[in-house]
Amino acid sequence: MRKKYLHITTFGCQMNVHDSEQMAVLLAEQGYEQTEDSTKADCILINTCSIREKAEQKAFSELGRLMKLKEKNPDLIVGFAGCLAQHLGARVHSRVRNVDLVFGTHNIHRLPEMMEAVQKERKPVTEVGFSSSLHSLGIFAPPRDGAISAFVSIMQGCDNYCAYCVVPYLRGPEKSREPEDIVGEIEKLAGCGIREVTLLGQNVNSYGKKSGRGDDFVSLLKKINEIEGIERIRFTTSHPKDLSNELIGCFGSLRKLCRHIHLPVQSGSNRILKRMNRGYTAEEYLEKTARLRRVCPEISITSDVIVGFPGETRKDYQETIDMMEKIRFDSVFSFKYSERKGTAAGALSGKVPEAEKRQRLKELQALQDRHTQEKNTSLEGSVQEVLVEGPSRNSRQDMTGRTSCWKIVNFEGRPELIGRTVPVRISRGYLHSLRGKQISS
Ligand code: 5AD
Ligand code: SF4
């Protein structure tokens, strides 16, 4: 029998990357092998993101491009998945003809039956219902050969309703997985050679709060810290309002917890933070980051910032800049505010002109590049423990890996090092990576 090939294009966050891994696992059970080459695929899935308008445009232009392959090969199955599919539902079919499959964020586990329905009936299938069960989160994705790092979803959805954000509407209410299921999954991953896990959720700091069982995020971390074979634990994303002193303390006490926190601040202006419905002040944020650095001086702190939120004046923007000057983040993902239909911010007055948003973003990114470069330069001469992930993209002689603080390090090394944690003396700090030399341990 001829092999069947699956091609997946993923847009958006790590959550989406993990969802795509799960889709691949479910279709592997139906005999599909993954391919990077869309032209030889029998099934193409586009896993979409809807967080900003640009992400939507990208998803539709990719869909348009891939639909041309279907014109040549009518048997090709094309599926549109993820947040944008969740948002648009059957409207995808009216926007683009001949899409076979549209399914949302809560329906991944039903992919095999949806595929069967498409193949048998040859008519479009749409599944975008919400489910209060966590079926889709529990699909075990066996790591690819040689992988040393894996994502593990610990919860789905979000209850925070930040004024600019569509996620609560597209991924539903927050629900946490049982700690036993999570620990079981990580033990299984450790058995497959995984050394590092990244725990995923929209707001991992509120893990378990609604369950009433008393299993909070800190107790989950402590359990994972005990799992044999796992050397590093990371998590994303944290919400500043829910970052407890206990969790901050873990950066000093849990050996396997990596010295990095992604803590989206969004704005440095209290007026804007309030309009964004973020639930903390700039002073509280500063206090929490100071506390993190007291507990763990080498911790790397990264963040997300939005410029041009409705009502943001030059003075508000300057307060964000001032905060960045005070904190000196290791890196920042920064975005122009993008209006999303149905969100509270859509109804706010004081829209900032596009050109002004662009200008603010440019200035902010230039400042952050300076800070990132300074941070990376300051690591020159230090010895960093690097978990080796594989060969570097740029040079065959080089291996690449990350420090506990999430910095990429390239150094001359052999493939036998993959999966090992090795000491590397940093010789050069660049904007996006570090270069170093392995030293004997
Ligand atoms: N416009 C711009 N940026 C947004 N983000 C979320 N929604 C929007 C929006 N409507 C950013 C936030 C969030 C990150 C994942 O995306 O900074 O932390
Ligand atoms: Fe969106 Fe806010 Fe939830 Fe993050 S915490 S997913 S920004 S609503």
Side-chain angles (χ1 to χ4, degrees):
M1 205 174 76
R2 191 179 77 83
K3 259 192 188 167
K4 291 189 288 183
Y5 288 104
L6 166 70
H7 175 82
I8 309 184
T9 304
T10 307
F11 293 99
C13 58
Q14 287 163 323
M15 200 83 80
N16 267 20
V17 172
H18 187 49
D19 288 351
S20 293
E21 286 169 357
Q22 293 178 321
M23 292 174 202
V25 168
L26 292 171
L27 292 187
E29 284 162 18
Q30 295 203 334
Y32 282 92
E33 192 177 301
Q34 250 185 300
T35 174
E36 297 283 311
D37 180 0
S38 56
T39 60
K40 79 174 194 195
D42 302 278
C43 173
I44 289 175
L45 298 177
I46 305 171
N47 193 6
T48 61
C49 169
S50 181
I51 201 131
R52 285 169 294 276
E53 200 182 351
K54 216 157 105 189
E56 282 199 22
Q57 288 161 356
K58 275 194 202 159
F60 270 107
S61 84
E62 178 71 354
L63 180 61
R65 191 180 73 81
L66 294 170
M67 289 309 280
K68 294 214 171 72
L69 297 174
K70 195 168 164 81
E71 282 167 22
K72 285 191 211 137
N73 170 15
D75 289 334
L76 175 66
I77 297 173
V78 177
F80 202 64
C83 285
L84 184 54
Q86 180 73 50
H87 171 55
L88 294 174
R91 279 175 291 167
V92 174
H93 299 295
S94 43
R95 224 166 127 173
V96 180
R97 280 183 50 232
N98 294 330
V99 176
D100 298 286
L101 196 54
V102 175
F103 61 102
T105 50
H106 283 202
N107 300 281
I108 297 168
H109 62 290
R110 301 194 46 213
L111 186 52
E113 51 185 291
M114 293 187 268
M115 283 290 279
E116 242 175 75
V118 168
Q119 276 156 339
K120 265 199 204 128
E121 296 164 33
R122 290 313 289 181
K123 63 175 194 205
V125 168
T126 309
E127 291 285 353
V128 289
F130 270 161
S131 138
S132 62
S133 80
L134 294 170
H135 288 309
S136 288
L137 292 195
I139 302 163
F140 181 71
R144 262 181 268 162
D145 271 355
I148 51 145
S149 183
F151 293 126
V152 177
S153 289
I154 63 166
M155 59 210 293
Q156 73 179 15
C158 182
D159 291 339
N160 287 310
Y161 290 93
C162 300
Y164 49 81
C165 186
V166 281
V167 168
Y169 307 95
L170 301 182
R171 290 195 174 252
E174 181 182 300
K175 192 152 193 227
S176 299
R177 284 175 78 191
E178 297 295 336
E180 298 77 22
D181 293 348
I182 297 168
V183 168
E185 180 171 330
I186 297 176
E187 284 170 347
K188 231 161 125 183
L189 287 167
C192 302
I194 289 297
R195 296 282 160 265
E196 175 184 83
V197 284
T198 303
L199 311 177
L200 297 179
Q202 303 296 343
N203 175 14
V204 293
N205 301 168
S206 64
Y207 170 82
K209 276 198 182 154
K210 280 161 93 180
S211 76
R213 281 185 35 168
D215 294 300
D216 64 1
F217 187 52
V218 169
S219 72
L220 179 69
L221 282 178
K222 287 182 177 161
K223 286 185 183 127
I224 298 171
N225 197 54
E226 298 303 315
I227 298 176
E228 214 173 301
I230 296 298
E231 286 172 24
R232 286 183 168 188
I233 307 166
R234 301 185 184 278
F235 56 80
T236 193
T237 289
S238 288
H239 195 308
K241 78 175 164 57
D242 295 312
L243 177 63
S244 64
N245 287 343
E246 291 70 34
L247 180 52
I248 292 175
C250 288
F251 285 99
S253 60
L254 291 188
R255 192 178 57 80
K256 296 180 181 176
L257 185 60
C258 286
R259 289 1 186 182
H260 167 228
I261 187 164
H262 185 65
L263 196 62
V265 65
Q266 314 297 0
S267 169
S269 150
N270 283 335
R271 207 175 63 81
I272 296 300
L273 286 171
K274 196 154 189 212
R275 275 166 85 87
M276 285 177 165
N277 189 31
R278 287 291 287 173
Y280 54 86
T281 62
E283 292 73 23
E284 282 161 352
Y285 187 92
L286 281 166
E287 167 52 28
K288 289 194 181 187
T289 49
R291 201 182 285 260
L292 279 161
R293 285 191 172 134
R294 276 200 298 279
V295 168
C296 179
E298 74 275 25
I299 195 165
S300 121
I301 304 176
T302 58
S303 199
D304 293 345
V305 173
I306 298 175
V307 296
F309 185 78
E312 186 190 72
T313 61
R314 261 270 153 189
K315 181 170 171 289
D316 295 311
Y317 166 73
Q318 189 55 46
E319 287 177 11
T320 302
I321 296 290
D322 293 346
M323 172 175 261
M324 288 170 64
E325 290 278 18
K326 275 191 203 136
I327 294 184
R328 297 194 162 241
F329 293 110
D330 285 75
S331 66
V332 163
F333 296 104
S334 48
F335 313 99
K336 284 184 289 174
Y337 168 70
S338 162
E339 186 173 317
R340 307 281 65 210
K341 266 207 197 86
T343 59
L348 290 178
S349 59
K351 306 265 178 296
V352 178
E354 201 51 37
E356 178 63 22
K357 283 196 249 181
R358 211 177 308 126
Q359 181 59 28
R360 290 182 193 179
L361 187 69
K362 204 171 129 197
E363 285 171 25
L364 186 148
Q365 288 178 339
L367 174 72
Q368 184 53 46
D369 282 356
R370 271 208 311 280
H371 289 169
T372 304
Q373 181 62 64
E374 277 168 25
K375 292 254 169 197
N376 290 353
T377 304
S378 75
L379 293 172
E380 290 175 4
S382 71
V383 175
Q384 301 289 324
E385 295 293 317
V386 176
L387 175 56
V388 185
E389 290 173 12
S392 141
R393 265 196 233 148
N394 299 329
S395 158
R396 282 186 172 195
Q397 277 86 48
D398 285 352
M399 288 288 121
T400 190
R402 284 192 191 258
T403 67
S404 172
C405 293
W406 207 53
K407 311 267 182 191
I408 295 172
V409 180
N410 295 306
F411 66 100
E412 207 178 301
R414 300 175 320 277
E416 296 85 86
L417 295 176
I418 296 171
R420 281 177 48 196
T421 303
V422 297
V424 175
R425 186 177 302 280
I426 304 305
S427 52
R428 193 73 197 264
Y430 299 102
L431 185 56
H432 299 294
S433 66
L434 307 172
R435 170 122 210 123
K437 197 167 172 26
Q438 186 189 352
I439 57 174
S440 45
S441 27

